[in-house]
Amino acid sequence: MGLMETTNKPHDRLAAWLAEDMASVNGLIRERMASEHAPRIPEVTAHLVEAGGKRLRPMMTLAAARLCGYDGPYHVHLAATVEFIHTATLLHDDVVDESAQRRGRPTANLLWDNKSSVLVGDYLFARSFQLMVETGSLRVLDILANASATIAEGEVLQLSAAQDLATDEDIYLKVVRGKTAALFAAATEVGGVIAAAAPEQIAALHRYGDALGIAFQIVDDLLDYGGTTQVIGKNVGDDFRERKLTLPVIKAVAAADEEERAFWSRVIEKGDQREGDLERAMELMARHGTLAATRDAALGWAAQAKSALELLPAHELRDMLRDLADYVVERVA
Amino acid sequence: MGLMETTNKPHDRLAAWLAEDMASVNGLIRERMASEHAPRIPEVTAHLVEAGGKRLRPMMTLAAARLCGYDGPYHVHLAATVEFIHTATLLHDDVVDESAQRRGRPTANLLWDNKSSVLVGDYLFARSFQLMVETGSLRVLDILANASATIAEGEVLQLSAAQDLATDEDIYLKVVRGKTAALFAAATEVGGVIAAAAPEQIAALHRYGDALGIAFQIVDDLLDYGGTTQVIGKNVGDDFRERKLTLPVIKAVAAADEEERAFWSRVIEKGDQREGDLERAMELMARHGTLAATRDAALGWAAQAKSALELLPAHELRDMLRDLADYVVERVA
């Protein structure tokens, strides 16, 4: 497993260090995605799986297992499991969000249809379930079952929270754990479990994934009000137009006077959005410093992620995971 | 567990014999359906779970475990698991089929929306997964993971097979296993596994559930061309209008001359259906005796189900399962 220092991005360094493992993961994904009876399945999944996603989640599983000294075959199964769950979630999310773009391509449900997105997502969930059973670890199954429940609960909670000004930072955090952090946390935790790491190290891996996932999502929400289309592959203000209560807005609502609250109620709760409303929202967030406060929150979670890593063995991979936490928030730092 | 002989219907006799166990199952279902954070979840599921479904699948798990002498607590978990998987499948199927009625009530996606149906279905899948992990049996997890994959694969296969005259009886059988028989077979098999029954008995339970499920689905397809709205809670000819290639049609297509084939191609493949086409389809099926041949197929599968039971211990519950196989086909015998 050669270390290619051609780039400084921690994600690329992880990919180089884990190249052999990732090749096995990709092979397993292609093998298990196939369906003898239903050729539509690989047609739909190939679109997502080959779409050049960063494969961040499976790499986190591999890195966690390797840095805890794992030398068996099952980290590959678990990495493929995590990627399948992630892809299934994207497919089901596409049915839900009617988002026009994902990873810069048309979403599966525009190329195909809602039926295929739902059922192929279910197929990937079932395949991921088979893969984890093959590891023979009930502990791993328990962790991933709990993560699955947290993910689904968070997604449902997001439905009701999306356009309700009563959504506070506690609810936001539950939604974010469901959307992102629960799978990140499970991805790193099962890596430690399969490596039979010490309990406090497994707990630290969970905390790392959880905090990194939250930082990641907060940055994503923040970039929606400040990034560029090239950088994030989606349009600025998408969340605003979809009336999502993300952290910068929640903080602005909490600080709002009566007149500002009426504005938020109109554009978010009632969905009555007019020319200039996005600009007005940006101005209110600037006035109350909520973009800066949101950035500070992201930096705080990244710091927690790094601090969790201190309990893990000194290792090149640990350094890359630490740098990854910095990198995630670098876009907004 | 009192035996109430107030009815001759095997389903009611099973319900009476298993009343205490079913009360535990219903309690567990209500407990696990609840979500602290997302109150919409029980709102959606209660609609389905309380809708007066027959709870046939969980009863089959309980019956299999009990007749193999099981005396522990986990058959209740497995029965709830099976009902959760079934309910999740219905929710996802509602998104897919746009069927206007299920169990005589509006479907969840008319009362709620596609988003809720997809995500609450996912939540129930995750909850079922947690329940089976609690049994601590990797073998049970393996069986249910494989059943989940067969179900999802069959549903996707059904999408492509639905309007394609090339769909033959082999493909039909794969679709039916996905739609119905895989979960029936897993439901009875895990009952035997949790009871630590002998391998040939576990295999027999699988065969029983598989054959019963196939018989059940064939009867359902047949009634769609001959039952009444009161009996089956859906309209005669629904499958025809939805251009489904069910067994009576597949057999009629196989026996069609050139002119008949053109008819089937127009109404099923091209979806160009006109006044009188349903009557014409019925006439063609009568001419080739495909309704009678379909009935014979159902009776054959019911006989296979009964024959599998011979390997199981003599037991009141075994008699009820045998009578259940007769009862399933009685509607068309």
Side-chain angles (χ1 to χ4, degrees), chain B:
Chain B
M1 233 159 289
L3 177 61
M4 290 163 46
E5 284 282 13
T6 53
T7 167
N8 278 324
K9 287 188 185 167
H11 173 272
D12 293 333
R13 280 156 53 214
L14 277 168
W17 208 99
L18 297 164
E20 242 179 74
D21 279 351
M22 274 309 295
S24 305
V25 172
N26 288 333
L28 190 59
I29 284 174
R30 265 191 295 274
E31 178 194 317
R32 297 306 174 93
M33 209 165 62
S35 162
E36 189 193 337
H37 308 312
R40 181 173 299 187
I41 289 173
E43 285 174 33
V44 172
T45 52
H47 166 68
L48 274 169
V49 174
E50 311 287 345
K54 291 205 201 82
R55 299 275 163 99
L56 197 53
R57 293 158 188 81
M59 285 206 300
M60 285 168 66
T61 299
L62 297 175
R66 288 297 193 187
L67 86 84
C68 293
Y70 186 63
D71 204 27
Y74 292 123
H75 63 322
V76 170
H77 288 65
L78 291 174
T81 294
V82 162
E83 184 70 359
F84 272 167
I85 294 175
H86 174 57
T87 308
T89 309
L90 291 184
L91 280 165
H92 285 188
D93 209 43
D94 278 349
V95 173
V96 161
D97 274 357
E98 292 165 8
S99 53
Q101 265 183 306
R102 172 156 333 264
R103 290 182 182 172
R105 294 192 181 200
T107 57
N109 77 335
L110 294 180
L111 275 186
W112 307 94
D113 51 22
N114 271 354
K115 288 187 188 194
S116 299
S117 291
V118 175
L119 297 181
V120 174
D122 287 349
Y123 180 73
L124 291 183
F125 274 131
R127 287 306 225 177
S128 76
F129 182 15
Q130 288 177 312
L131 279 167
M132 49 186 125
V133 169
E134 285 173 41
T135 69
S137 164
L138 277 164
R139 177 118 183 248
V140 155
L141 285 153
D142 188 42
I143 292 164
L144 288 163
N146 293 338
S148 300
T150 302
I151 292 168
E153 209 167 2
E155 296 260 21
V156 178
L157 183 61
Q158 188 179 19
L159 285 187
S160 51
Q163 296 155 10
D164 181 356
L165 289 198
T167 301
D168 59 18
E169 296 199 18
D170 274 359
I171 296 174
Y172 173 81
L173 212 53
K174 287 194 181 92
V175 170
V176 166
R177 287 206 157 97
K179 262 179 96 157
T180 310
L183 189 54
F184 272 68
T188 43
E189 186 176 1
V190 297
V193 167
I194 204 74
E200 65 276 14
Q201 295 185 329
I202 292 172
L205 283 166
H206 178 96
R207 282 204 308 283
Y208 171 79
D210 181 60
L212 187 79
I214 293 171
F216 188 88
Q217 189 61 50
I218 293 178
V219 167
D220 207 50
D221 290 351
L222 188 55
L223 286 173
D224 196 83
Y225 286 102
T228 65
T229 302
Q230 294 95 303
V231 173
I232 53 167
K234 64 176 181 175
N235 306 318
V236 170
D238 273 354
D239 288 350
F240 181 77
R241 279 181 289 273
E242 291 175 24
R243 304 154 61 192
K244 285 186 187 165
L245 276 152
T246 59
L247 198 52
V249 176
I250 289 167
K251 286 178 181 292
V253 170
D257 64 21
E258 206 173 324
E259 183 264 329
E260 291 171 12
R261 209 184 148 79
F263 168 78
W264 290 116
S265 174
R266 173 172 63 78
V267 297
I268 302 288
E269 287 192 325
K270 305 199 178 81
D272 172 13
Q273 296 192 4
R274 305 165 195 171
E275 186 81 32
D277 279 346
L278 176 59
E279 292 69 24
R280 167 97 167 115
M282 300 288 292
E283 182 197 303
L284 292 180
M285 292 190 283
R287 180 186 306 168
H288 295 295
T290 73
L291 293 175
T294 299
R295 187 201 57 207
D296 290 347
L299 294 175
W301 284 107
Q304 284 199 38
K306 286 192 288 183
S307 139
L309 290 176
E310 285 163 20
L311 289 165
L312 293 166
H315 194 289
E316 280 177 293
L317 286 167
R318 190 184 69 163
D319 299 341
M320 295 179 208
L321 290 178
R322 188 198 57 219
D323 295 348
L324 182 64
D326 282 328
Y327 179 71
V328 160
V329 290
E330 197 178 89
R331 298 181 291 169
V332 297

Side-chain angles (χ1 to χ4, degrees), chain A residues 314-329:
Chain A
H315 194 289
E316 280 176 293
L317 286 167
R318 188 184 71 163
D319 297 342
M320 295 178 207
L321 290 178
R322 187 199 58 220
D323 294 348
L324 183 65
D326 282 328
Y327 180 70
V328 159
V329 291

Side-chain angles (χ1 to χ4, degrees), chain A residues 81-307:
Chain A
T81 294
V82 162
E83 184 69 359
F84 273 167
I85 294 175
H86 174 57
T87 308
T89 310
L90 291 184
L91 279 166
H92 285 188
D93 209 44
D94 277 349
V95 173
V96 160
D97 272 357
E98 293 167 7
S99 52
Q101 267 184 304
R102 170 155 337 262
R103 289 182 183 171
R105 295 193 181 200
T107 56
N109 77 334
L110 293 181
L111 274 187
W112 308 95
D113 51 21
N114 270 354
K115 289 188 187 192
S116 299
S117 290
V118 174
L119 297 180
V120 174
D122 287 349
Y123 180 73
L124 293 184
F125 274 131
R127 287 306 225 176
S128 77
F129 181 14
Q130 289 177 311
L131 280 167
M132 53 185 121
V133 169
E134 286 173 41
T135 69
S137 164
L138 278 164
R139 177 117 183 250
V140 155
L141 284 154
D142 188 43
I143 291 165
L144 288 163
N146 293 337
S148 300
T150 303
I151 291 168
E153 209 167 2
E155 296 260 20
V156 178
L157 183 60
Q158 187 179 20
L159 285 188
S160 52
Q163 296 155 8
D164 181 355
L165 289 198
T167 300
D168 58 18
E169 296 199 20
D170 274 358
I171 296 175
Y172 173 79
L173 213 52
K174 287 194 182 93
V175 170
V176 166
R177 288 205 156 97
K179 263 178 94 156
T180 310
L183 190 55
F184 272 68
T188 42
E189 185 176 2
V190 296
V193 167
I194 205 73
E200 65 275 15
Q201 293 185 330
I202 292 172
L205 283 166
H206 178 97
R207 281 205 308 282
Y208 170 80
D210 181 60
L212 187 79
I214 294 171
F216 187 88
Q217 189 61 51
I218 293 177
V219 167
D220 206 49
D221 291 351
L222 188 54
L223 285 174
D224 196 82
Y225 285 102
T228 66
T229 302
Q230 293 97 302
V231 173
I232 53 167
K234 64 176 182 175
N235 306 317
V236 171
D238 273 354
D239 288 350
F240 181 77
R241 279 182 288 272
E242 291 174 25
R243 302 152 64 190
K244 285 187 185 163
L245 276 152
T246 59
L247 197 52
V249 176
I250 290 168
K251 287 179 181 293
V253 170
D257 64 22
E258 205 171 327
E259 183 264 331
E260 291 170 10
R261 208 184 150 79
F263 168 78
W264 291 115
S265 173
R266 173 171 65 76
V267 296
I268 301 287
E269 287 193 325
K270 306 200 177 80
D272 172 12
Q273 295 191 4
R274 304 165 196 171
E275 186 82 32
D277 279 347
L278 176 59
E279 292 69 24
R280 167 98 167 113
M282 301 287 294
E283 180 198 304
L284 292 179
M285 291 190 284
R287 180 185 306 167
H288 295 296
T290 73
L291 293 175
T294 299
R295 187 199 57 206
D296 290 347
L299 294 175
W301 283 107
Q304 284 199 37
K306 287 192 286 182
S307 138

